[in-house]
Amino acid sequence: MIKQITLFLGVLYCLPLLAQEKHHEDPTKVITRIGAGYTDNLTLSGSLALDKMRKLNAQSNIEGDEWRIGGSWLFEFGIVNFSFSRSEYDDGGHKKSYSVGTFLPLTVFGVDTGKWMIFPMAGFNHTKGEIVINSDEIESLNDLVMVQNTSNGGYLGAMGLRPLDENWTFMTFGGGGAGSGGYSNIWAGAGTSYKINAQQSFNIFGFVSEDDYGTNNKLGISYTYEFD
């Protein structure tokens, strides 16, 4: 089975890629970039393009309790991403996740999306963490009851980009997933992106998410610099 998957990926690797200039917020763009953002604290991020089809990705908040590291491989049908991450939740829960997924531009299927750029996404993940159990006996943070939870599952969603002019772009995304042990999650967000010049951009965004580990509701702003 492993040999068959390797052969399949090798064939896809040799397929010619579409040569075109991509939007700066396109999730299938392979480029070296650095960025900084702020939600509830400072976050640093970046990607390193190894060639025209592969890149390494990393992101972490300044405290180091939320982070993501992984890589991406671009094929003609879309981009495949894999990552290992840690997330904190507003009510004290936390989790670590291993995931592999993909963004698929609808245009590769010949679908006319008009002025929108639509990217369906899907993937599989393994999560492990601690869930906060609500109890009337909890009187302080020291009394929180944490329960271990592990799950294997998958997710479906979509991301949409709508350029408003040469500089401004509206962005939105959403999705949900399910896994073993009754695990489920849902997330959604929206924002705007402004292209300063060919290398620089910033965006303002908000998102909400909820799963068995807790909830996350955030507003933020980020800046990105792309290298030629």
Side-chain angles (χ1 to χ4, degrees), residues 91-103:
D91 50 7
H94 61 85
K95 71 176 181 181
K96 289 183 178 178
S97 298
Y98 303 87
S99 66
V100 57
T102 183
F103 283 98

Side-chain angles (χ1 to χ4, degrees), residues 37-55:
Y38 186 85
T39 50
D40 48 0
N41 55 43
L42 180 65
T43 298
L44 303 176
S45 63
S47 64
L48 175 64
L50 303 178
D51 51 36
K52 293 183 178 181
M53 290 173 285
R54 298 173 298 165
K55 65 177 179 177

Side-chain angles (χ1 to χ4, degrees), residues 25-37:
E25 296 289 355
D26 190 323
T28 68
K29 191 172 187 178
V30 175
I31 195 171
T32 298
R33 67 176 75 185
I34 58 172

Side-chain angles (χ1 to χ4, degrees), residues 80-139:
V80 174
N81 303 304
F82 65 90
S83 68
F84 176 44
S85 64
R86 187 182 192 280
S87 302
E88 291 278 338
Y89 290 83
D90 295 340
D91 50 7
H94 61 85
K95 71 176 181 181
K96 289 183 178 178
S97 298
Y98 303 87
S99 66
V100 57
T102 183
F103 283 98
L104 304 174
L106 279 182
T107 53
V108 302
F109 301 107
V111 178
D112 183 5
T113 56
K115 296 182 178 180
W116 282 86
M117 290 180 279
I118 307 296
F119 302 89
M121 55 177 136
F124 301 95
N125 52 37
H126 168 79
T127 61
K128 182 178 182 179
E130 292 185 324
I131 300 173
V132 175
I133 302 300
N134 295 321
S135 172
D136 293 337
E137 298 178 357
I138 296 176
E139 297 180 355

Side-chain angles (χ1 to χ4, degrees), residues 160-183:
L161 303 176
R162 172 62 163 86
L164 304 176
D165 56 31
E166 293 182 356
N167 301 101
W168 288 99
T169 298
F170 174 73
M171 307 180 299
T172 186
F173 64 89
S180 59
Y183 172 79

